[in-house]
Amino acid sequence: MISSTEVARFRNALPFWLSLLMVPLAVLAARQGGVWVFVLPLFSWGMFSILDQITGLYEENADLATTDDQLVWYRAITMIWFPIQFGTLLWLLWYVPGAEHLSTGEKLMVFFGMGVVSGTTGIVYAHELFHQTNRLERWLGDLLMCSVLYGHFRTEHLLVHHPWVGTPRDAVTARYNEGFHRFFFRVLPACWRSAFRAEKAMLARKGLPWHHRSNPFWRYWALQSTFLLLAFLVGGWVGLGLFCWQALVAVWQLEIVNYVEHYGLTRKHLGEGRYEHVLPRHSWNSSHRATNWLLINLQRHSDHHYKPMRRFPLLQTYSTDEAPQLPYGYPVMTFSAMIPPLWRRRMNPKVRAWRKQFYPEIEDWTRYKSATNPMPRNS
């Protein structure tokens, strides 16, 4: 018999399992077509944003003495997600290309919805998984990232983004005044290059060439090639095209979230290429309850960068005295980022206020521009 303590733990974790509702919605969109093809974006971006307004903020912090054994129901949703997502994707690749009741536009929209599943949930869960030391979890993270053809993200995130966030060496720290569309086309090649250089440098320190079998890029390439081949075998050329389309949608969501998370925030330069330690102030924080259910507390991003190994149920939130706060959850903020004038009007004053609050001694912020990726004018 399950103990009352275990039942309580399951009940507490249950809101984070709402992502499972995406699977029947994906099937419904494919089977029904019509207006139902919009159901996944409306569910993930729209419904949870509305729920944010209803449920408000959740600012309580979990007990940091909680052990992994006590987090089994939280960990379980991330562990089971890859086979669930993979099965859904395979079924869509088999069903949609030959579905005569779906127009070309509807097929594209169904796989846009699948990209929402892969990006909003799959990549977020992958991010949680590859931050852990458990080998199985890291492999599941790799599988999820390679299913959207972005396997190098693990290397880039762990070896580049976390050490260098808030500095010119981190491509995905969005510069003040930099619009998202410019950011997106800048980071796609820049992240791949920085990830490859990081692995090459690690191998060089061991006296090994870049093409040594221990380079994880071989695994990324092999897994991505396998997914592409499966998409072709199951869905033909149409299926292959739709698979790549969902991957692009997923990566677009990843990078727009990256854009929001650190926009305009810069670590203090200490001279000679050294920067202050990463602090909660170097990420935008959000305690909106419902979207943190959807994104397994990713919006408590200030603590994630402060303590990267901390599992998502234990991530802490911070007050305005310690970390800058987003006015809304990620879905609303990412929609705003798609319209650069709207984004700047809302966020640039917040960045300037952040500078005055945390670094009043710095008068000339132009010294923090990157020589290779300069900020736009008016910074």
Side-chain angles (χ1 to χ4, degrees), residues 98-310:
E100 296 182 356
H101 67 287
L102 295 175
S103 67
T104 299
E106 288 172 325
K107 291 177 181 179
L108 288 170
M109 196 62 206
V110 167
F111 271 81
F112 182 93
M114 185 63 221
V116 170
V117 175
S118 302
T120 300
T121 303
I123 290 180
V124 173
Y125 288 10
H127 169 261
E128 171 73 10
L129 289 163
F130 62 58
H131 264 288
Q132 309 310 319
T133 56
N134 180 285
R135 193 169 184 179
L136 174 60
E137 288 178 291
R138 287 204 164 200
W139 258 101
L140 289 169
D142 281 347
L143 287 166
L144 284 166
M145 291 311 306
C146 289
S147 71
V148 294
L149 308 179
Y150 219 60
H152 65 277
F153 175 66
R154 174 165 71 92
T155 290
E156 192 279 333
H157 187 79
L158 297 178
L159 300 186
V160 183
H161 177 58
H162 270 273
W164 298 105
V165 64
T167 76
R169 288 186 62 173
D170 177 41
V172 299
T173 297
R175 283 51 165 156
Y176 176 81
N177 240 17
E178 181 181 28
F180 168 70
H181 306 290
R182 175 182 176 182
F183 168 88
F184 183 65
F185 289 104
R186 174 174 66 78
V187 300
L188 286 181
C191 287
W192 193 96
R193 289 196 300 266
S194 63
F196 191 85
R197 283 197 299 265
E199 294 291 358
K200 182 179 178 180
M202 285 189 67
L203 289 167
R205 287 194 289 272
K206 300 175 184 178
L208 300 172
W210 73 264
H211 50 79
H212 190 266
R213 65 180 181 274
S214 62
N215 188 336
F217 269 77
W218 291 115
R219 179 164 71 252
Y220 306 153
W221 290 331
L223 289 173
Q224 289 170 185
S225 299
T226 300
F227 281 115
L228 287 168
L229 179 60
L230 274 174
F232 175 74
L233 292 175
V234 174
W237 289 109
V238 173
L240 181 61
L242 291 171
F243 172 82
C244 293
W245 168 236
Q246 68 84 32
L248 177 61
V249 173
V251 170
W252 161 67
Q253 288 175 97
L254 163 64
E255 296 302 355
I256 200 168
V257 166
N258 274 334
Y259 176 84
V260 168
E261 287 170 341
H262 303 284
Y263 175 78
L265 306 183
T266 308
R267 282 155 64 188
K268 187 175 182 179
H269 186 245
L270 303 177
E272 299 180 352
R274 297 180 299 112
Y275 292 85
E276 66 178 317
H277 289 297
V278 179
L279 298 168
R281 70 183 62 167
H282 298 123
S283 305
W284 291 99
N285 191 63
S286 174
S287 296
H288 291 82
R289 187 191 303 260
T291 42
N292 269 324
W293 289 339
L294 176 67
L295 301 169
I296 57 169
N297 282 343
L298 182 67
Q299 299 174 138
R300 291 189 169 196
H301 209 62
S302 295
D303 196 49
H304 170 66
H305 269 273
Y306 186 47
K307 298 291 182 181
M309 299 296 289
R310 190 169 283 168

Side-chain angles (χ1 to χ4, degrees), residues 365-376:
W365 282 88
T366 59
R367 64 182 292 187
Y368 291 92
K369 292 181 181 180
S370 164
T372 55
N373 292 309
M375 298 180 199

Side-chain angles (χ1 to χ4, degrees), residues 63-76:
D63 182 359
L64 294 178
T66 306
T67 65
D68 274 5
D69 290 341
Q70 296 171 299
L71 299 175
V72 62
W73 293 110
Y74 295 92
R75 295 178 62 196

